[in-house]
Amino acid sequence: MSILRPSNRLLARMDSEDLALLHPHLQCETLPLRRSLETRNKPIQYAYFLESGIASVVAAGAKDTCIEVGIIGFEGVTGLTLIMGGERAPHATYMQVAGKGLSIPAERLRHAMECSSSLRRLLLQFAHAFFLQTTYTALSNGRSKTDERLARWLLMAHDRVRSDDLPLTHEFLALMLGVHRPGVTGALKKLSSAGLIQNRRSSIHVLDRAGSKRPATAPMVQPKRN
Amino acid sequence: MMPLFFLHMRDGSELTPDSEGSCLPDLAAARRYALECARQMMSEAVYHGNRIGLARTFEIEDDAGKLLLTFLFRDAIDFSEAAA
C-alpha cells in the first residue's frame, strides 16, 4: 500500500501518528473468494483493513442454518471482537467477493489501541457503525419482503464494489438473506421487471441505483456509511 | 458428486427458470427442498397479504433438462380443519 493514500477508508482517515503505529505491521494480502478471515469460536489471528472486495460475517444456528449478520468492505476492518476487547470470533467471517486487504496481527492491533486514544476512538466508531448495520439487518430480516431485503443487500454490496456488476450467484444471495434459492430467483425477477437490475448468469448488473432504494427503504431508513 | 436438480417455477403461463440448480443427494431430497421452498414463499405471501399462488408448481428437472417431478405448491399445506 502507499502510506500516503491508503484505499481503505479507516486508514485514510487516521492521523499520521496512528497510521505510523500500524504501518510497520501491515501486510498486503490478496483475498480470494471464500477465504476465511475468522473462524467461529477460534481466537482471531489477524484483523484485515480491506481495500476491495466484501467480507461477510455469518452466524450459524442449529442444523447448519446460516444467515449473514453483516458485511465489511473498504470502509472498514474485520476483527471487531478484538476492537471491543475480546479474543475469540463469535461468528465466521469470510470473503464473499474477492479483493485485497492489509492484515495486522491481533496483538499488534491491540497494542496500538492501548497506545493511542484517537486510534481507539476511530476503531470504536467503526464498530458502532457495524453494529448499526446489524441492527438494520435485523429489522429488515424481521419485517421486510424478500425483494426489499434483496434490494437493500444489493445496495450495500454496490457501495463496496465500485462497479455496477456484482459477481453474485443466487445460491450466495440465498445464504446472505437466509432464504431458499427459489425465493431469491423470484425476488431478482421482480427487481428486474421493475428495471432496477439486470439478472445475468453469475452476476447482477445494477441499472438504477436510485430506483433500487425505493424497495430497500420502504420499511426503513438506510444507515449511512461513515 | 451429487446430481444437480433444477426447480423451475411455473405460475399460470409465467415460468421463472432456475439457472443455477441445486446439488442434492436424490429426487426425494429435491422434493423435500421444493416443499420447503414452497412453504417459505407462501408464508411470506400470506404474511404480507399477497396472492398465495396455490396453483404454482416447481418443475423439477435434471441436468439434461428431463422433467422428473412436478411439485404442486398446494401439496405443501395442511388444509385439515380440526384435529382428528
Side-chain angles (χ1 to χ4, degrees):
Chain A
M1 86 166 196
S2 149
I3 189 153
L4 295 173
R5 284 202 304 151
S7 51
N8 175 275
R9 289 276 191 92
L10 283 177
L11 295 176
R13 284 174 60 193
M14 268 174 211
D15 64 40
S16 51
E17 282 132 50
D18 285 344
L19 196 52
L21 272 176
L22 301 180
H23 188 252
H25 313 296
L26 292 174
Q27 179 111 32
C28 251
E29 300 220 26
T30 302
L31 302 169
L33 185 68
R34 308 245 173 258
R35 162 76 184 274
S36 167
L37 308 182
E38 291 175 23
T39 309
R40 189 161 81 106
N41 293 333
K42 292 273 159 53
I44 298 169
Q45 310 281 351
Y46 295 92
Y48 295 82
F49 290 90
L50 296 182
E51 297 183 293
S52 60
I54 297 176
S56 174
V57 183
V58 176
K63 282 210 306 180
D64 61 58
T65 51
C66 292
I67 191 164
E68 183 189 71
V69 292
I71 64 174
I72 299 165
F74 66 86
E75 85 288 0
V77 64
T78 65
L80 295 171
T81 302
L82 292 174
I83 291 168
M84 293 191 282
E87 283 179 8
R88 280 172 190 272
H91 303 300
T93 301
Y94 49 91
M95 296 304 289
Q96 292 290 20
V97 173
K100 284 182 177 174
L102 297 156
S103 66
I104 182 167
E107 67 276 18
R108 297 293 187 182
L109 182 65
R110 201 175 293 128
H111 183 250
M113 283 178 72
E114 280 163 13
C115 294
S116 162
S117 61
S118 56
L119 178 64
R120 207 156 55 231
R121 196 176 317 118
L122 180 70
L123 294 178
L124 283 172
Q125 274 172 0
F126 175 69
H128 184 243
F130 185 82
F131 168 72
L132 283 180
Q133 184 202 122
T134 298
T135 56
Y136 278 92
T137 297
L139 177 63
S140 172
N141 286 355
R143 288 289 177 265
S144 305
K145 297 178 196 174
T146 303
D147 57 313
E148 294 166 347
R149 293 170 54 206
L150 177 64
R152 173 174 182 267
W153 202 93
L154 293 175
L155 283 171
M156 296 202 329
H158 192 228
D159 281 341
R160 290 163 176 84
V161 165
R162 298 189 181 103
S163 154
D164 287 338
D165 265 313
L166 309 176
L168 307 163
T169 63
H170 301 189
E171 186 71 51
F172 161 77
L173 288 166
L175 170 69
M176 295 305 94
L177 299 176
V179 299
H180 290 312
R181 204 169 43 79
V184 169
T185 306
L188 282 168
K189 194 173 179 181
K190 206 166 163 184
L191 298 182
S192 173
S193 321
L196 303 176
I197 58 158
Q198 197 181 357
N199 192 2
R200 298 173 180 170
R201 189 170 276 272
S202 308
S203 89
I204 290 153
H205 187 75
V206 178
L207 295 173
D208 179 359
R209 187 183 159 85
S212 295
K213 288 184 180 172
R214 283 193 303 272
T217 54
M220 81 201 87
V221 178
Q222 278 280 107
K224 277 261 190 298
R225 282 185 297 130
N226 293 330
Chain B
M1 258 299 269
M2 285 198 281
L4 259 182
F5 293 94
F6 293 81
L7 273 67
H8 308 296
M9 191 179 76
R10 184 171 291 283
D11 187 2
S13 59
E14 196 187 339
L15 185 75
T16 304
D18 175 358
S19 56
E20 289 180 10
S22 295
C23 283
L24 294 161
D26 51 27
L27 185 59
R31 191 189 178 280
R32 276 196 303 277
Y33 182 62
L35 175 84
E36 285 174 21
C37 292
R39 282 184 182 156
Q40 196 174 67
M41 293 169 86
M42 288 189 289
S43 308
E44 181 170 312
V46 171
Y47 183 81
H48 292 285
N50 296 333
R51 185 177 66 93
I52 303 174
L54 285 176
R56 284 185 283 179
T57 57
F58 279 124
E59 294 175 0
I60 305 178
E61 290 183 357
D62 67 10
D63 217 359
K66 183 183 163 209
L67 180 66
L68 304 172
L69 181 85
T70 299
F71 181 85
L72 190 59
F73 273 42
R74 180 184 296 279
D75 291 343
I77 295 183
D78 180 354
F79 285 103
S80 53
E81 288 286 341

